Amino acid sequence: MSTLAEQSVDTLKGVGPKAAERLARLGIVSLEDLFFHLPFRYEDRTRIVPMGALRPEQHVVIEGEVRAADVVFGRRRSLLVRIGDNTGFVSLRFYHFSAAQKHYLEPGTRIRVYGEVRAGATGLEFYHPEYETARGDLPPLEKSLTPVYPTTEGVTQRFLRGLMKQALDILRRHPPRDLLPRDLLQQQDLPSLQAALLKLHAPGPDDPVDLLLAGEHPAVRRLVVEEMVAHQLGMLHKRAGQKAQQAPVINQAGQRAQLLGALPFTLTAAQQRVIAEIDKDLAQPSPMLRLVQGDVGSGKTLVAACAALSAIASGYQVAVMAPTEILAEQHLRNFSSWLEPLGISVAWLVGSLTARQRRDTYQAIADGQAQVVVGTHALFQDAVVFDALGLVIIDEQHRFGVHQRLALREKGRRGKEVPHQLVLTATPIPRTLAMSLYGDLDTSVIDELPPGRQAIDTVVIGEQRRPDVVERIRNACKAGTQAYWVCTLIEESDALQAKAAEDTWRELQQALPELAVEMVHGRMKPKEKAQHMARFADGDAAVLVATTVIEVGVDVPNATLMVIENAERLGLSQLHQLRGRVGRGGEKSYCVLMYSGRLSETAQRRLHVMRDTNDGFRIAEEDLRLRGPGEWLGTRQTGELAFRIVDLMRDEDWMAPARDMAQVVLTRYPQQVEPLVRRWLNEGDAYADV
Ligand code: ADP
Ligand code: MG
């Protein structure tokens, strides 16, 4: 007997090549797939409701005798069938019908009807209900609730149910092997796979349908936990593969003491802790794969620079990659100002270099002259060949997919050795997602801001108070600090965004003639953008009008006021990132969230969250709650999180038990690992990229 996974649906009666193809569109190829295709609703066809007790909008089964069947001519011709039992009468109405149908429905016929009760012209009516008739007795009623499945074109409900009936018969006769050990299931009060599937596809009339549908029934949880365990095992497998690789042993701090000694501040305890964690990883002969999470302004760059010094001291090159040129530029600024005084050469590689500059940079990278290379995706290009890449630092991880991360690692491969990887993210990743997205990474958290940072005060105000906001800018800048004004538009168009920024720029120049107002937007040439940014960063301009291009990484500690126009149009993470541009120095900072028009309920909730907290983790959790994981991650990453049964928000509490269970499976039942991973993950996913 083959397993359910091996048995194709086309072994069931009624499934020809065409149906098989349509089922495949629903993701159903094997019997196992069929079982994991869960109902989204159930209908109760186990009991008959007396006609006298019917109420509109109920879905019910009724049974009685045909009293009359007539073609009637109203606005539309229809077949009207009058039926009754000993408690009352109802009508069935068919707009599409055949002569034969009328013939079958002659008076005296026994009939059982399933459908929704409506208030109609003749009293209570059923429109095009499902029904069956008999001369004598009708067949027995259903014993279990009737599932309603997601369908697709060409696959009807009736067809799916028919298949499921056949498949459930097989399931009853041949219980599938439980891949989760029985004792672990029992500890969590979870049923066997067979029992869970029977419960989900054929619940009894008294089973708690609400719990089944809400995912709160042990039958659903049985599947949820197994899927989570499989994902965890997939991750552990990836990680084991990662650890089996070799990497350079880097065990010296290099010029760290000099770098830190030259700074006007000391490391926070959190920074020190994270640096120590990184040191430990780098000293291993297997590659580090570590994610550093830290709220905006927590000082991740410096932590990365310390790691870079270690790699350089051991004779290796370091690549620093950011998702945008502006952000890369910021890193260039930091790394150059910190490392060049120590005699370390920092190169720059982005798409906008001239051919000549690029050639020179490639050369410097290839012969090892460039010790640190800062750039964007341009670092991926085939023409880029490192002499001895030992450490890759990636900022703003969640804009890069896992695959890009691994591609970059391959880029640095020399024989058996691959470089270490350090991933920095300012977008706190809610616990729920972190475990499934980054289960293959070790994680460090910088959970402390440099001392003296004060919470940013945030206000939410309507667009009509714009003049007050302009005054606020005047006062802030008079006191010697600087201000951002961020323009946002719904339109994705760069051109329109740029125009909005230009209009505001002109308006502010007019209103604030005593202040130098600069502007950056996505339509500018990178060089122009950089010049304008630099004027603001150097303090030559007091106000920077910007589109959301400044979202990540810009660091101007003297800026204390952030105005965000049409703030209601931005998501929470984006607002948090933007607001994080202020509050970086010792001065108290402020953020003005300006909205126009009436706020929707969610927009209001978002803005209030921003007003009430500065805590990036809380904001991220709230954001995830408001938007759901798919949208939170953006389209690119959702593929990496394709769960069949698990709903990350709903099933959050099962994540930790599932992780523990995965460990037990791995150590005590290693033979179960591969079948579990194969059952739940695309094989390609689980075993690729190792
Ligand atoms: P992020 O974590 O958002 O990338 P940065 O690394 O850009 O933060 O650091 C934000 C600012 O804080 C920078 O100006 C940086 O020089 C400064 N900084 C970093 N560490 C400390 C510290 N321990 N004490 C004071 N300022 C610090
Ligand atoms: Mg940063």
Side-chain angles (χ1 to χ4, degrees):
M1 174 71 202
S2 58
T3 66
L4 298 176
E6 282 157 349
Q7 190 171 345
S8 162
V9 268
D10 64 14
T11 59
L12 296 179
K13 275 196 275 315
V15 185
K18 206 174 225 134
E21 196 187 305
R22 288 175 178 154
L23 286 167
R25 257 185 272 146
L26 285 172
I28 299 171
V29 177
S30 66
L31 289 198
E32 193 172 87
D33 298 329
L34 187 64
F35 288 129
F36 292 155
H37 192 69
L38 299 186
F40 62 90
R41 190 159 66 75
Y42 298 94
E43 293 172 350
D44 187 350
R45 302 184 178 192
T46 66
R47 45 202 140 199
I48 291 165
V49 179
M51 293 185 198
L54 294 176
R55 299 275 167 275
E57 284 164 49
Q58 284 175 318
H59 290 260
V60 290
V61 186
I62 53 171
E63 206 173 297
E65 211 179 86
V66 175
R67 299 289 156 85
D70 299 300
V71 177
V72 295
F73 298 87
R75 238 179 322 151
R76 266 176 83 190
R77 204 169 76 107
S78 60
L79 175 64
L80 192 69
V81 183
R82 203 70 185 142
I83 65 175
D85 63 8
N86 51 20
T87 67
F89 296 91
V90 297
S91 301
L92 316 182
R93 199 183 282 276
F94 300 90
Y95 290 106
H96 308 282
F97 59 92
S98 62
Q101 201 172 358
K102 179 170 184 288
H103 174 74
Y104 280 123
L105 292 169
E106 65 185 7
T109 310
R110 293 288 305 163
I111 185 166
R112 181 183 294 157
V113 175
Y114 183 81
E116 187 187 352
V117 187
R118 305 269 195 89
T122 63
L124 295 180
E125 297 188 355
F126 288 73
Y127 294 85
H128 283 271
E130 288 178 46
Y131 68 90
E132 54 194 325
T133 57
R135 292 286 170 206
D137 284 341
L138 285 156
L141 282 165
E142 299 282 348
K143 289 202 180 51
S144 53
L145 298 181
T146 305
V148 183
Y149 296 104
T151 55
T152 186
E153 215 182 311
V155 179
T156 63
Q157 202 57 246
R158 187 186 280 261
F159 178 67
L160 265 180
R161 277 182 203 146
L163 295 187
M164 200 63 84
K165 266 214 165 101
Q166 294 181 53
L168 290 177
D169 279 344
I170 297 174
L171 184 75
R172 283 192 190 93
R173 275 181 283 124
H174 306 281
R177 200 158 62 92
D178 267 308
L179 296 179
L180 292 183
R182 191 141 297 172
D183 54 333
L184 295 189
L185 292 174
Q186 274 163 2
Q187 272 166 30
Q188 302 284 348
D189 286 324
L190 295 173
S192 70
L193 182 62
Q194 185 196 39
L197 292 174
L198 288 171
K199 184 63 79 187
L200 281 160
H201 292 287
D206 297 320
D207 275 323
V209 168
D210 296 356
L211 297 186
L212 284 171
L213 293 176
E216 284 165 16
H217 191 280
V220 190
R221 285 178 174 156
R222 169 66 181 74
L223 300 185
V224 163
V225 166
E226 183 174 319
E227 185 171 27
M228 284 177 171
V229 167
H231 270 253
Q232 282 298 317
L233 290 171
M235 288 289 187
L236 291 170
H237 177 82
K238 270 192 195 174
R239 187 199 291 248
Q242 169 82 13
K243 291 287 176 206
Q245 307 263 352
Q246 294 173 21
V249 172
I250 292 171
N251 54 10
Q252 47 192 318
Q255 292 164 283
R256 186 182 298 169
Q258 280 119 294
L259 168 65
L260 297 179
L263 294 174
F265 50 78
T266 54
L267 293 174
T268 62
Q271 282 172 313
Q272 281 172 15
R273 191 190 64 238
V274 173
I275 289 172
E277 286 164 357
I278 295 169
D279 283 348
K280 212 166 145 203
D281 286 354
L282 290 177
Q284 302 301 315
S286 62
M288 166 173 78
L289 192 43
R290 183 168 288 279
L291 175 72
V292 175
Q293 292 190 55
D295 214 340
V296 273
S298 60
K300 294 182 290 295
T301 322
L302 189 55
V303 167
C306 288
L309 283 177
S310 297
I312 291 162
S314 296
Y316 290 95
Q317 290 171 295
V318 178
V320 181
M321 186 165 84
T324 65
E325 277 200 24
I326 289 223
L327 182 53
E329 182 101 38
Q330 188 67 43
H331 284 304
L332 179 67
R333 213 181 251 277
N334 279 319
F335 277 85
S336 307
S337 74
W338 290 336
L339 304 189
E340 279 173 357
L342 303 174
I344 291 165
S345 74
V346 179
W348 173 235
L349 184 60
V350 291
S352 61
L353 295 185
T354 64
R356 204 205 144 82
Q357 288 170 321
R358 197 170 312 159
R359 225 173 25 240
D360 291 350
T361 308
Y362 288 164
Q363 189 57 49
I365 295 172
D367 63 23
Q369 277 243 322
Q371 292 168 286
V372 177
V373 190
V374 180
T376 54
H377 291 81
L379 287 169
F380 270 114
Q381 248 109 68
D382 285 342
V384 182
V385 180
F386 287 87
D387 174 43
L389 182 60
L391 171 65
V392 175
I393 297 167
I394 305 177
D395 200 358
E396 296 301 332
Q397 152 71 14
H398 87 286
R399 299 200 176 200
F400 296 113
V402 173
H403 298 286
Q404 281 167 298
R405 185 170 84 209
L406 291 157
L408 195 62
R409 186 188 71 187
E410 283 313 301
K411 181 130 206 92
R413 179 183 288 282
R414 288 190 311 166
K416 286 210 166 91
E417 274 190 1
V418 295
H420 298 281
Q421 279 195 52
L422 186 63
V423 174
L424 312 178
T425 179
T427 310
I429 298 150
R431 206 166 43 94
T432 345
L433 291 185
M435 251 192 251
S436 27
L437 252 192
Y438 300 121
D440 63 330
L441 298 183
D442 295 306
T443 308
S444 296
V445 183
I446 309 185
D447 50 6
E448 177 185 6
L449 290 177
R453 296 278 170 82
Q454 301 172 49
I456 302 161
D457 272 357
T458 299
V459 292
V460 178
I461 66 174
E463 156 78 22
Q464 70 281 4
R465 289 182 52 199
R466 202 177 170 95
D468 298 346
V469 178
V470 174
E471 275 323 295
R472 224 171 151 154
I473 292 185
R474 191 194 311 278
N475 293 332
C477 296
K478 210 187 268 167
T481 64
Q482 292 165 280
Y484 294 98
W485 183 297
V486 179
C487 305
T488 61
L489 279 181
I490 313 176
E491 291 82 0
E492 288 291 292
S493 145
D494 272 0
L496 286 172
Q497 296 233 10
K499 178 162 182 317
E502 274 162 18
D503 290 348
T504 304
W505 177 62
R506 230 166 272 126
E507 173 200 332
L508 290 181
Q509 275 188 322
Q510 243 162 40
L512 303 165
E514 74 277 25
L515 298 178
V517 182
E518 265 300 349
M519 165 173 65
V520 283
H521 57 66
R523 273 249 154 157
M524 290 175 168
K525 294 210 170 62
K527 195 162 160 196
E528 199 184 349
K529 236 188 285 186
Q531 280 168 354
H532 292 210
M533 285 299 307
R535 266 177 50 77
F536 183 70
D538 296 342
D540 296 334
V543 183
L544 182 69
V545 177
T547 53
T548 44
V549 296
I550 64 154
E551 186 189 340
V552 279
V554 179
D555 185 20
V556 180
N558 190 45
T560 61
L561 177 59
M562 164 69 61
V563 179
I564 304 175
E565 216 178 321
N566 299 319
E568 77 278 8
R569 292 173 181 176
L570 298 183
L572 274 172
S573 298
Q574 213 176 1
L575 288 169
H576 181 62
Q577 291 292 319
L578 281 169
R579 181 171 63 180
R581 301 310 108 204
V582 296
R584 304 191 140 225
E587 298 282 324
K588 178 91 186 156
S589 290
Y590 301 89
C591 176
V592 178
L593 301 176
M594 221 174 5
Y595 62 87
S596 56
R598 266 181 64 85
L599 285 179
S600 72
E601 214 166 289
T602 13
Q604 202 165 3
R605 179 126 161 246
R606 277 201 299 267
L607 297 183
H608 287 174
V609 170
M610 289 301 293
R611 189 192 56 198
D612 297 342
T613 184
N614 279 288
D615 179 343
F617 277 90
R618 253 203 64 199
I619 291 173
E621 298 272 1
E622 192 64 32
D623 197 23
L624 183 62
R625 200 161 307 136
L626 285 172
R627 291 199 286 162
E631 227 196 298
W632 193 85
L633 288 162
T635 43
R636 190 165 48 206
Q637 265 92 39
T638 36
E640 290 165 10
L641 266 187
F643 287 107
R644 293 207 232 176
I645 313 276
V646 170
D647 172 335
L648 281 173
M649 303 305 291
R650 180 190 74 185
D651 303 325
E652 184 177 356
D653 292 348
W654 286 88
M655 203 72 95
R659 201 179 35 172
D660 296 344
M661 227 184 256
Q663 282 298 345
V664 177
V665 171
L666 194 64
T667 49
R668 279 177 38 211
Y669 308 92
Q671 72 283 3
Q672 306 290 66
V673 172
E674 199 187 317
L676 267 169
V677 171
R678 284 198 192 285
R679 173 178 285 173
W680 290 98
L681 277 73
N682 287 331
E683 277 168 47
D685 275 5
Y687 286 93
D689 304 328
V690 177

